[in-house]
Amino acid sequence: MLTFLGFAMIATFLVLIMMKKMSPIAALVLIPALFCVFAGQGAHLGDYVIDGVGKLALTAAMLMFAIVYFGVMIDVGLFDPIVRGILRFCKADPVRVVVGTAVLAAIVSLDGDGSTTFMITVSAMYPLYKRLGLSLVVMTGVAATANGVMNTLPWGGPTARAATALKLDAGDVFVPMIPALAVGLLCVFALAYALGLKERRRLGTLALPGGAEPQPVAVAAAGPAAPAAAGPADTAPAAGHRDESRTDAAAGPASGPASPASGPASPASGPASPAAGAAAAGFQGLDPRRPTLRPRLYWFNAGLTAALLTAMIMELLPIPVLFLLGAALALTVNFPHMPDQKARIAAHADNVLNVAGMVFAAAVFTGVLSGTGMVKHMADWLVAAIPEGMGPHMALVTGLLSLPLTYFMSNDGFYFGVLPVLAEAGAAHGVSPLEIARASLVGQALHMSSPLVPAVYVLVGMAGVEFGDHTRFTVKWAALTSLAVLAAGMLFGII
């Protein structure tokens, strides 16, 4: 009964959000609450939710302060040189733009944190996509898939979980997987190239008006846009004036579109020309002389960011603590006056609220799945359904199961709840736990677009893409990438 309810709850959730019948927050809260009652455990709903919130509270705190930190870094111009370099490389060629998105997401993913990757990638690439009229869902799909492949780094989470669950060394699990993961990354670049060609055919030959390069923009969870009041560089506000347009652009939906309906959201939709794309989105380049820029503090901010990422990789402190300290220090140094600090926090408040709200809503979903026992029953049913003759091929089975299970379950639930069972079944047929652990990593490309991954809401929120649109577009490509990693692992004798 619980097995059926678990699968039915997940299917109901996915269908409703992909058909846009419910918002993700409402679906994440109401559907599990309803199925908890169906399971006859409605009286325990409060306990399940509190347990789920407790498990995700640190993630919510990390995302809140990470958004503030990187929002401030974008405000002060830390990433402007990087963005200008990317835009010079991409020019107005859709193929270069989409491939550049994949490369940037893969490079930034080296820090091991998905939300950081998505904030930097969207902040850099969003203006160009809007100016050229490219599909924003292509951007989110490519970025999520690239980050999913790179998420297997030892400090990214899944590898450490697999090694811990099976009492193995993380290096022994990860290092032999590098060739297979490299194949996965090449698949992402090939996908980006193919999608870029499709966009080029859709839009034709493009050119930025007057050879101008779009500037990085502040983006908000409800849909990024620069207000009409924010004109080009020659209309910059005078020194000493309050930066109303900058705050409004970052602060919320009132200044721009709240959904992809106002801009391209799929390869089949959106304006047919870059001029139309700019007009439809109300695109304006962010003033390169905006008052929030701090050129004299550029190297301080660069050093602070490098130190923060290094401390994350070395695990000197918990990640939420690092971002909390980093955000406080960045605000204090760059904006020493209290009104300026309040303005910067207010500028990013909508993004923080939307993402944190989504995380706590997801806590209801995961809390009910775990608390009612649905996850355990679903996992036991899947393992029991494996034919006895597949025992010697448990590494392959584990790789295949990692795709749906890491999509429908949290990484903790899969690696600490299901993986030991699969490893035990494999050991009975002489399959090494190392092979099982390596095979369990192949589903991460798909996992990063799971509705249970908080970082994906940062991605779709900042890009102004509906989660259902992102899911419909990305799942098939991410699944193919995961299968390519699995095939490469078997071909190279790693799995």
Side-chain angles (χ1 to χ4, degrees):
M1 180 65 175
L2 286 176
T3 301
F4 170 77
L5 287 176
F7 283 115
M9 183 173 83
I10 292 170
T12 302
F13 168 78
L14 291 174
V15 168
L16 287 176
I17 61 170
M18 286 193 287
M19 293 181 65
K20 300 182 183 179
K21 299 298 184 182
M22 294 183 74
S23 69
I25 285 184
L28 284 167
V29 172
L30 297 179
I31 292 173
L34 184 63
F35 274 84
C36 184
V37 174
F38 289 164
Q41 301 185 39
H44 301 289
L45 177 62
D47 295 332
Y48 299 154
V49 172
I50 293 299
D51 184 58
V53 168
K55 291 178 179 177
L56 289 181
L58 288 178
T59 299
M62 183 271 290
L63 289 174
M64 288 171 61
F65 291 106
I67 289 169
V68 172
Y69 179 83
F70 284 104
V72 169
M73 290 298 111
I74 293 166
D75 292 340
V76 301
L78 176 63
F79 303 112
D80 284 16
I82 300 173
V83 172
R84 285 194 293 268
I86 292 171
L87 298 183
R88 278 194 295 269
F89 165 77
C90 294
K91 298 182 180 178
D93 183 2
V95 174
R96 289 191 177 198
V97 173
V98 181
V99 172
T101 302
V103 172
L104 178 62
I107 292 173
V108 182
S109 295
L110 289 171
D111 75 338
D113 179 59
S115 49
T116 302
T117 298
F118 297 147
M119 280 187 280
I120 294 175
T121 302
V122 175
S123 298
M125 303 307 298
Y126 176 83
L128 198 55
Y129 275 77
K130 282 304 233 183
R131 175 67 65 93
L132 299 178
L134 300 180
S135 169
L136 290 174
V137 79
V138 169
M139 176 178 69
T140 62
V142 168
T145 307
N147 179 252
V149 175
M150 297 297 289
N151 192 47
T152 52
L153 292 167
W155 53 88
T159 300
R161 288 181 174 91
T164 302
L166 300 184
K167 298 179 175 59
L168 302 170
D169 182 82
D172 293 337
V173 175
F174 174 74
V175 174
M177 278 293 290
I178 291 177
L181 296 173
V183 170
L185 204 54
L186 288 175
C187 286
V188 174
F189 295 151
L191 169 65
Y193 183 80
L195 293 174
L197 286 176
K198 188 173 182 180
E199 288 294 276
R200 182 194 282 171
R201 287 193 295 269
R202 181 173 70 89
L203 296 172
T205 303
L206 304 177
L208 293 177
E213 293 178 356
Q215 299 295 324
V217 296
V219 281
D234 59 357
T235 61
H241 287 209
R242 183 172 180 266
D243 186 18
E244 291 287 347
S245 64
R246 179 68 177 85
T247 300
D248 292 343
S255 60
S259 75
S262 56
S266 70
S269 65
S273 70
F283 180 85
Q284 297 284 346
L286 186 63
D287 186 358
R289 293 176 291 176
R290 59 193 185 275
T292 57
L293 287 176
R294 296 294 185 267
R296 293 182 180 179
L297 293 172
Y298 182 85
W299 291 111
F300 167 80
N301 290 316
L304 177 62
T305 302
L308 180 64
L309 298 180
T310 301
M312 286 172 53
I313 293 171
M314 297 179 65
E315 299 181 351
L316 298 181
L317 286 172
I319 293 179
V321 176
L322 289 172
F323 274 118
L324 192 156
L325 294 173
L329 187 58
L331 280 169
T332 302
V333 174
N334 288 283
F335 303 97
H337 301 295
M338 186 68 69
D340 293 334
Q341 292 183 15
K342 289 182 178 179
R344 290 305 92 213
I345 293 173
H348 304 290
D350 274 7
N351 205 355
V352 170
L353 180 61
N354 276 277
V355 172
M358 202 74 72
V359 172
F360 287 122
V364 180
F365 197 94
T366 57
V368 170
L369 266 180
S370 301
T372 58
M374 291 181 189
V375 164
K376 184 178 185 305
H377 281 75
M378 291 163 64
D380 290 345
W381 178 82
L382 284 171
V383 173
I386 299 171
E388 184 67 24
M390 292 298 293
H393 308 288
M394 279 304 295
L396 172 62
V397 171
T398 300
L400 293 174
L401 286 178
S402 72
L403 273 72
L405 292 183
T406 58
Y407 186 81
F408 295 129
M409 299 170 61
S410 68
N411 270 342
D412 285 339
F414 174 71
Y415 286 105
F416 294 118
V418 178
L419 188 60
V421 177
L422 294 172
E424 186 176 345
H429 293 86
V431 180
S432 165
L434 274 173
E435 293 185 57
I436 299 292
R438 293 167 190 159
S440 70
L441 301 177
V442 304
Q444 288 303 305
L446 179 60
H447 170 75
M448 284 310 296
S449 290
S450 165
L452 303 181
V453 175
V456 74
Y457 298 111
V458 176
L459 174 65
V460 298
M462 293 182 72
V465 171
E466 291 287 347
F467 183 79
D469 292 334
H470 171 79
T471 299
R472 278 197 303 271
F473 178 80
T474 307
V475 164
K476 56 183 178 293
W477 303 118
L480 286 173
T481 302
S482 292
L483 291 174
V485 174
L486 178 60
M490 298 186 66
L491 182 64
F492 297 151
I494 302 167
I495 297 174

